[in-house]
């Protein structure tokens, strides 16, 4: 969903939600976007960046670099404990995590890979997951 600020020919300004930029264009062309105050369909998008729906807000990721050796060792231990007791599902992570969340399959620990779009989808669905702590050698 995208929220647009819209100006009408009568000088009013209002906001409306659209499924997409394309959706706004289609509705605008067919005269379906009317000013709620005066009803004119002679409207145009205000010159401002569209605000994203709250659920699309991108969460900042907290990062650390160059951990001391003993910290890297502790991370290595935590990672081993996480992965030793979990099933590796590779790029099916988002699918499997969602199935477990919605109790469509047995509850178990899993780990794998997901792209940023998948991650956002999981957050929107309220699926609980955590990034695996990264180690310096991951970037080699
Ligand atoms: Zn108006």
């Amino acid at each position: 969903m995208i929220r647009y600020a819209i100006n009408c020919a009568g000088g009013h300004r209002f906001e409306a939600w659209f499924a997409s930029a394309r959706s706004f264009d289609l509705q605008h062309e067919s005269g379906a976007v009317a000013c709620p105050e005066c009803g004119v369909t002679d409207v145009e998008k205000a010159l401002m960046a569209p605000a994203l729906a709250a659920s699309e807000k991108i969460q900042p990721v907290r990062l650390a670099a160059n951990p001391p050796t003993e910290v890297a060792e502790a991370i290595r231990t935590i990672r081993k404990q996480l992965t030793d007791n979990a099933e590796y599902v590779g790029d099916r992570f988002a699918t499997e995590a969602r199935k477990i969340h919605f109790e469509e399959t047995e509850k178990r620990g899993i780990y794998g890979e997901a792209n940023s779009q998948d991650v956002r989808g999981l957050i929107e669905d309220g699926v609980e997951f955590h990034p695996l702590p990264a180690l310096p050698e991951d970037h080699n």
Side-chain angles (χ1 to χ4, degrees), residues 17-137:
W17 288 93
F18 297 91
S20 63
R22 176 92 184 115
S23 166
F24 169 83
D25 291 340
L26 287 172
Q27 292 186 51
H28 185 216
E29 280 163 25
S30 64
V33 183
C35 172
E37 286 193 53
C38 65
V40 305
T41 56
D42 183 5
V43 299
E44 61 179 17
K45 268 185 279 186
L47 290 177
M48 65 173 253
L52 293 172
S55 62
E56 289 182 35
K57 264 188 207 147
I58 295 163
Q59 298 293 328
V61 179
R62 184 172 288 179
L63 303 167
N66 299 316
T69 312
E70 60 270 28
V71 174
E73 204 48 54
I75 294 172
R76 203 168 282 120
T77 304
I78 291 169
R79 266 222 332 207
K80 191 165 161 29
Q81 283 178 2
L82 284 168
T83 55
D84 279 357
N85 297 300
E87 179 193 340
Y88 179 68
V89 294
D91 60 9
R92 290 184 297 112
F93 179 82
T95 306
E96 289 299 316
R98 193 172 270 115
K99 276 205 259 180
I100 292 167
H101 177 76
F102 292 111
E103 296 177 351
E104 290 165 10
T105 187
E106 60 168 316
K107 198 173 158 90
R108 66 199 194 282
I110 59 169
Y111 68 105
E113 290 89 39
N115 62 35
S116 55
Q117 200 182 340
D118 289 337
V119 167
R120 203 192 293 187
L122 290 174
I123 292 169
E124 283 173 7
D125 286 351
V127 178
E128 200 178 311
F129 65 97
H130 310 276
L132 270 184
L135 287 163
E137 59 259 35

